Amino acid sequence: MNKSFCLSIMVISVAIWSFSLVIPERVLAEDALTNYNWYCAQCHGEGGEGDGPNAGKDLPVAPRNLTKKEEMVKFSEEMIFNTLTKGGPANNLSTLMPPFGNILPPDELKALAKLVRTELCKC
Amino acid sequence: MNYRRMFMIGLSIMALLSINWTVAEAQDGKGIFKSKGCGDCHAVEGPSKLKNIEDRVKQKGPDLWFAGSKFKPRYLKTWLEKPSDLTGVKYSELLPVKGKNSHPALSGKEASDVSNYLMTLKDKDMATGIIDDKKKMKRSALFKAGTLFQKTQVCFGCHLFKPKKRAKRAIGGFSGPSLVGAKKRLTGDWVYSYLKDQKRYVPLGRMPIYQGPTFQAYPDKDLKALAQYIVNLY
């Protein structure tokens, strides 16, 4: 085997090794539907109809039916983003709608607001 | 009988006894925890390094690495003997729980050994001596703290609780653990510590995070009152 071949193998393996050191572990941004099913469905239901397991007569207000177009057109994507970040009171709604700004970064909350408008209320 | 034979019999009895002894030793709480496969579903070392919801959904049971800080000393034995549902949904899912509780149960001696073992698992970095569990809240303080739990944020949206000691039934949602009987179950210091830094104990939990840089639901004084209120719930 010739010398330069051995040398290049060495160089390449060192390069790969250092590469693996530099690249940080990839932390994926969660996709909007995964976030919805994990955080929101417990109240709003998997289909968004306001029928998650927590929805019951004990609650002071019902988790909104997010598929009801007539009601949902009132809320722009921007308003929904604010509600998601700081909770219901950001839009004069009940504190039963919780804040998620401490859990999810703004881009994931924006993606959720978009999901609500394009997939759930389609408005 | 000759002495040699007696000596040999004595020796084998002693050997047998010592085997028994090591078995007994392995049967202490930590051993039982291992041999019953409790560790398949519960982590006893932490903090957890879960990265994303996909991994969280695969988790089969809550972390117990801080059990000794979280639970009241006498609670665990009772629960392990007769496990009861904590939430109304299957762990990591949203399907309703149905039928009898299926969590493995332990018999008296085992339950107390495992409970003793779990109570040695402390969060060494947790501040203690902040909330006095035994303190009886005055009626006015109780009312104010009740508002923090029921109105400031609607915590019972996901937690069953009894608004009054003699309430006929518990009210609320149930995707989170029931807080009925929290008085017997949780320590005030842990509840306070948890509410201050939820991610430390439950990374990727389903509960919204109420204290953080983007939104802070309670000033520290209220957070303490809230923790005190929770560990006074019947």
Side-chain angles (χ1 to χ4, degrees):
Chain A
M1 218 188 290
N2 76 31
K3 221 172 167 182
S4 63
F5 180 73
C6 277
L7 205 71
S8 55
I9 293 273
M10 265 165 70
V11 169
I12 289 172
S13 39
V14 167
I16 291 177
W17 175 74
S18 56
F19 203 59
S20 70
L21 284 186
V22 175
I23 302 272
E25 234 177 299
R26 208 153 66 117
V27 182
L28 290 169
E30 305 282 357
D31 118 84
L33 191 60
T34 310
N35 277 334
Y36 179 86
N37 284 334
W38 185 243
Y39 295 112
C40 320
Q42 52 187 324
C43 292
H44 291 286
E46 303 221 26
E49 291 173 343
D51 57 354
N54 287 326
K57 61 179 170 30
D58 291 340
L59 302 190
V61 281
R64 194 166 294 255
N65 179 345
L66 301 176
T67 62
K68 240 190 178 166
K69 204 168 176 172
E70 313 86 84
E71 280 182 32
M72 290 302 295
V73 282
K74 292 186 293 205
F75 304 108
S76 67
E77 217 168 291
E78 181 72 25
M79 285 165 86
I80 296 179
F81 171 75
N82 286 337
T83 305
L84 293 181
T85 310
K86 303 206 160 161
N91 268 331
N92 282 325
L93 298 171
S94 162
T95 48
L96 180 53
M97 170 61 210
F100 287 92
N102 293 326
I103 297 191
L104 300 172
D107 57 325
E108 290 185 37
L109 291 172
K110 282 195 183 121
L112 265 174
K114 203 181 185 90
L115 175 101
V116 170
R117 293 194 45 102
T118 55
E119 308 272 326
L120 297 177
C121 71
K122 304 196 170 68
C123 54
Chain B
M1 206 182 342
N2 68 34
Y3 285 106
R4 224 185 120 134
R5 210 158 134 197
M6 254 167 81
F7 179 73
M8 287 311 285
I9 291 175
L11 212 66
S12 36
I13 289 179
M14 265 161 71
L16 270 173
L17 275 177
S18 76
I19 289 175
N20 240 335
W21 218 53
T22 42
V23 169
E25 214 167 24
Q27 290 294 329
D28 72 357
K30 193 172 179 177
I32 300 169
F33 193 88
K34 250 201 173 138
S35 66
K36 297 252 174 186
C38 312
D40 296 348
C41 300
H42 297 290
V44 286
E45 269 161 46
S48 151
K49 294 190 188 69
L50 278 182
K51 282 237 164 52
N52 52 42
I53 295 173
E54 256 166 52
D55 291 343
R56 169 59 188 81
V57 173
K58 288 186 203 130
Q59 193 176 312
K60 289 189 276 182
D63 286 355
L64 294 174
W65 62 268
F66 47 86
S69 300
K70 172 176 180 177
F71 298 109
K72 291 257 169 74
R74 265 182 292 179
Y75 167 78
L76 282 179
K77 177 175 184 279
T78 326
W79 191 84
L80 289 171
E81 282 179 312
K82 211 165 169 278
S84 55
D85 296 339
L86 300 173
T87 72
V89 293
K90 287 191 188 151
Y91 194 74
S92 298
E93 298 178 33
L94 285 181
L95 301 169
V97 285
K98 282 200 195 106
K100 251 181 78 202
N101 181 293
S102 60
H103 192 277
L106 298 174
S107 65
K109 170 84 167 76
E110 285 175 330
S112 91
D113 285 352
V114 171
S115 161
N116 287 340
Y117 160 62
L118 289 176
M119 288 309 287
T120 65
L121 306 174
K122 304 258 188 215
D123 174 11
K124 290 178 193 73
D125 296 332
M126 188 182 100
T128 53
I130 296 174
I131 311 292
D132 178 3
D133 291 347
K134 296 214 173 71
K135 196 172 119 191
K136 247 196 133 195
M137 289 178 90
K138 285 210 193 90
R139 199 179 266 245
S140 58
L142 203 64
F143 180 79
K144 260 172 92 179
T147 312
L148 299 173
F149 186 85
Q150 297 166 44
K151 296 228 168 75
T152 311
Q153 296 295 326
V154 187
C155 305
F156 70 100
C158 308
H159 294 284
L160 280 171
F161 86 119
K162 277 188 178 173
K164 290 203 181 94
K165 187 176 177 179
R166 285 183 216 294
K168 279 208 193 74
R169 62 178 197 100
I171 60 166
F174 41 71
S175 65
S178 165
L179 295 175
V180 175
K183 193 180 179 61
K184 288 204 175 125
R185 178 166 172 262
L186 300 173
T187 68
D189 283 337
W190 182 80
V191 172
Y192 172 67
S193 185
Y194 168 76
L195 293 176
K196 254 179 97 153
D197 186 2
Q198 289 170 226
K199 272 193 193 153
R200 175 171 171 73
Y201 300 101
V202 192
L204 293 155
R206 259 193 175 128
M207 171 157 154
I209 293 182
Y210 290 96
Q211 303 295 104
T214 313
F215 183 85
Q216 181 140 5
Y218 305 99
D220 191 60
K221 175 170 74 60
D222 287 355
L223 206 59
K224 285 184 180 134
L226 186 58
Q228 181 100 55
Y229 174 81
I230 288 173
V231 296
N232 270 286
L233 286 173
Y234 286 93

